[in-house]
């Protein structure tokens, strides 16, 4: 039992209080001192020792939490919590993408509560991986778990700088990282892939794998792109929960053209609904004009709420590409990032990834196209008919068909001329709307005030 170390205590000597109060001035135990002296007889091991008063327990816990937070490298990410994460993503996100994001949120929150095993968050830039990883870290720190949050480049710099540090040795810093009660490695794959870097990362990951220490990893790489020794650990279902996020970039960072580097939408500038010419007064048959007007209305409706697939068929120059581009611009103005790509160009992009100088892998490029929120495939049927090209298009069509991701297709081919496997998906009226345009190719000079774009 303890008594207050105050002037009125019969078993304590009178002593002056320190400048200011450490505890609660109204505390009946310490009267504001913040500590109490243990009531122990002379000769007892606790004689003369002091305890922190109960009135300071919350204060001490807060100080411990602040110290843990300062050591965690989460200062700039303190605002990223589970409470302010939107599990369904932005408005208009495709159901499959929103479902993957919500699944990742649930896994991350569950992991933060038990810190059992590892969690691997995979997905494109801006999909929410870092937010979820930081939310795990912030929650862990709030309940007193020492946590270390590091991007991979920062981790390697930390280890390199330790060689010249006067405050710590490389061995001490390395030990601190690999033994952290919770380690979060963000942006795995952005590091300089030197042999030294690969070896250090493997040693850290392998140590935590052997000792079953909690680990969070975020990456935009496929497992096939990760160094084999590390990838083998990340494939172990006994310890690793792998979560694939399909959502597109929430922050919507654009390149200089404002669009994905895959997209050629910038070349379609000006092809909007406002500039579309319904070609009345050109002597075109009424039924053909009606097909053009109907296609225009269908395109407007799809742009407002992209659902399923929309196929524009018709001769070259009939307006198919203009309408497809108009849909893209409409959605881009709402903050989305559609990919508009001519089919032969798409296949060229995929082939280019096989070059040793390519900055992006085939898997990552194909994943970007497959999972994009809105995909516009222009001029289907003009691509080369190699077995490889047919197979890639089928894989793309089949994925987006099964996932029911919004897709716009333009083609000058008849349905009979299309690959049978593609045709079977397009003919599914449950998912796909076909809009045939029968007006002849536009070849005239645009009238004043009418841009007259055609394709």
């Amino acid at each position: 039992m303890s008594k207050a170390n105050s002037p009125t205590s019969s078993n304590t000597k009178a002593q002056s209080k320190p400048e200011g109060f450490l505890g609660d001035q109204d505390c009946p135990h310490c009267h504001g001192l913040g500590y109490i002296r243990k009531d122990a007889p002379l000769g007892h091991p606790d004689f003369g020792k002091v305890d922190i008063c109960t009135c300071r327990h919350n204060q001490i816990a807060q100080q411990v939490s602040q110290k843990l937070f300062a050591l965690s490298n989460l200062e700039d990410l303190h605002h990223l919590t589970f409470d302010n994460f939107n599990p369904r993503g932005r408005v208009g996100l495709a159901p499959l993408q929103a479902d993957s994001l919500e699944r990742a949120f649930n896994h991350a929150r569950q992991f933060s509560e038990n810190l059992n095993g590892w969690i691997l968050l995979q997905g494109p830039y801006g999909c929410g991986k870092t937010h979820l990883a930081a939310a795990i870290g912030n929650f862990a720190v709030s309940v007193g778990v020492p946590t270390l949050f590091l991007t991979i480049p920062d981790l390697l710099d930390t280890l390199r700088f330790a060689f010249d540090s006067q405050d710590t040795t490389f061995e001490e810093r390395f030990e601190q990282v690999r033994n952290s009660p919770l380690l979060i490695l963000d942006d795995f794959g952005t590091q300089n892939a030197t042999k030294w870097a690969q070896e250090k990362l493997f040693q850290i990951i392998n140590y935590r794998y052997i000792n079953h220490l909690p680990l969070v990893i975020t990456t935009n790489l496929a497992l096939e792109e990760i160094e084999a020794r590390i990838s083998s650990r990340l494939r172990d279902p006994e310890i690793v929960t792998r979560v694939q996020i399909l959502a597109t970039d929430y922050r919507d960072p654009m390149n200089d053209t404002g669009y994905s580097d895959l997209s050629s939408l910038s070349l379609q500038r000006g092809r909007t609904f406002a500039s579309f010419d319904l070609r009345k007064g050109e002597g075109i048959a009424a039924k053909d004009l009606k097909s053009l007007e109907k296609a225009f209305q269908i395109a407007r409706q799809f742009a407002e709420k992209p659902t399923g697939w929309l196929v524009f068929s018709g001769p070259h120059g009939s307006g198919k590409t203009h309408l497809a581009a108009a849909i893209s611009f409409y959605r881009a103005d709402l903050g989305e990032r559609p990919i508009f790509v001519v089919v032969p160009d798409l296949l060229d992009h995929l082939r280019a990834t096989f070059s040793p100088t390519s900055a992006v892998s085939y898997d990552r490029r194909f994943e970007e196209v497959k999972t994009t929120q809105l995909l516009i495939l222009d001029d289907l049927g003009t691509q080369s008919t190699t077995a490889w090209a047919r197979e890639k298009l089928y894989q793309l069509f089949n994925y987006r068909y099964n996932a029911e991701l919004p897709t716009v297709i333009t083609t000058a081919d008849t349905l009979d001329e299309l690959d049978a496997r593609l045709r079977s998906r397009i003919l599914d009226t449950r998912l796909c709307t076909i809009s045939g345009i029968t007006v002849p190719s536009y070849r005239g000079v645009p009238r004043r005030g009418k841009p007259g774009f055609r394709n």
Side-chain angles (χ1 to χ4, degrees), residues 277-282 442 444-452:
D277 184 1
L278 291 172
R279 301 177 65 181
K280 295 179 180 178
E282 292 187 16
Y442 183 83
V445 178
R447 293 171 291 167
R448 178 175 295 180
K450 299 288 185 179

Side-chain angles (χ1 to χ4, degrees), residues 151-186:
T151 64
I152 298 298
D154 287 346
L155 164 62
L156 296 172
D157 284 346
T158 295
L159 296 178
R160 290 188 187 101
F161 294 155
F163 286 117
D164 299 320
S165 175
Q166 301 298 318
D167 301 323
T168 186
T169 66
F170 171 83
E171 289 74 17
E172 290 171 341
R173 185 59 55 83
F174 190 66
E175 196 68 15
Q176 176 191 16
V177 172
R178 71 176 189 169
N179 275 304
S180 176
L182 173 61
L183 179 62
I184 301 173
L185 299 179
D186 190 38

Side-chain angles (χ1 to χ4, degrees), residues 341 343 346 375-380 396-397 407-410:
V341 62
V343 174
L346 168 61
L375 177 64
I376 294 90
L377 295 173
D378 191 35
D379 262 359
L380 176 67
L396 175 61
F397 270 58
T407 306
V408 178
I409 300 166
T410 78

Side-chain angles (χ1 to χ4, degrees), residues 79-271:
H79 60 289
L80 300 178
T81 66
F82 290 116
D83 290 337
N84 59 24
F85 187 89
N86 183 357
R88 298 296 295 177
R90 71 170 73 191
V91 175
L93 202 61
L96 184 74
Q97 297 172 328
D99 289 346
S100 74
L101 193 61
E102 185 171 20
R103 184 166 57 253
F105 173 82
N106 292 333
H107 277 298
R109 186 166 58 179
Q110 181 180 6
F111 178 86
S112 71
E113 293 171 354
N114 56 47
L115 298 181
N116 184 26
W118 295 6
I119 184 168
L120 172 63
L121 301 171
Q122 295 176 277
Y125 291 114
C127 69
K129 304 186 303 296
T130 296
H131 190 143
L132 289 175
I136 292 171
N138 285 321
F139 181 85
V141 169
S142 73
V143 295
V145 178
T147 298
L148 195 55
F149 183 106
L150 291 164
T151 64
I152 298 298
D154 287 346
L155 164 62
L156 296 172
D157 284 346
T158 295
L159 296 178
R160 290 188 187 101
F161 294 155
F163 286 117
D164 299 320
S165 175
Q166 301 298 318
D167 301 323
T168 186
T169 66
F170 171 83
E171 289 74 17
E172 290 171 341
R173 185 59 55 83
F174 190 66
E175 196 68 15
Q176 176 191 16
V177 172
R178 71 176 189 169
N179 275 304
S180 176
L182 173 61
L183 179 62
I184 301 173
L185 299 179
D186 190 38
D187 263 359
F188 194 92
T190 58
Q191 71 277 3
N192 182 7
T194 64
K195 289 184 178 180
W196 181 86
Q198 289 179 341
E199 191 60 31
K200 295 304 114 181
L201 286 175
F202 172 70
Q203 289 173 2
I204 290 170
I205 289 175
N206 192 53
Y207 180 87
R208 299 187 73 86
Y209 178 82
I210 292 172
N211 292 281
H212 292 84
L213 295 175
L215 176 65
V216 178
I217 292 179
T218 78
T219 184
N220 68 329
L221 300 180
L223 286 180
E224 293 75 15
E225 299 176 274
I226 296 174
E227 200 265 334
R229 295 177 300 171
I230 295 175
S231 176
S232 70
R233 272 67 176 167
L234 296 177
R235 294 177 189 274
D236 186 350
E238 295 295 324
I239 189 173
V240 183
T241 299
R242 289 174 53 194
V243 183
Q244 183 76 43
I245 303 175
L246 303 177
T248 49
D249 194 340
Y250 190 87
R251 297 161 300 192
D252 198 29
M254 300 287 190
N255 59 19
D256 291 339
T257 65
Y259 309 105
S260 162
D261 62 351
L262 258 178
S263 182
S264 58
L265 188 58
S266 60
L267 301 178
Q268 307 297 329
R269 195 170 300 280
R271 290 183 167 178

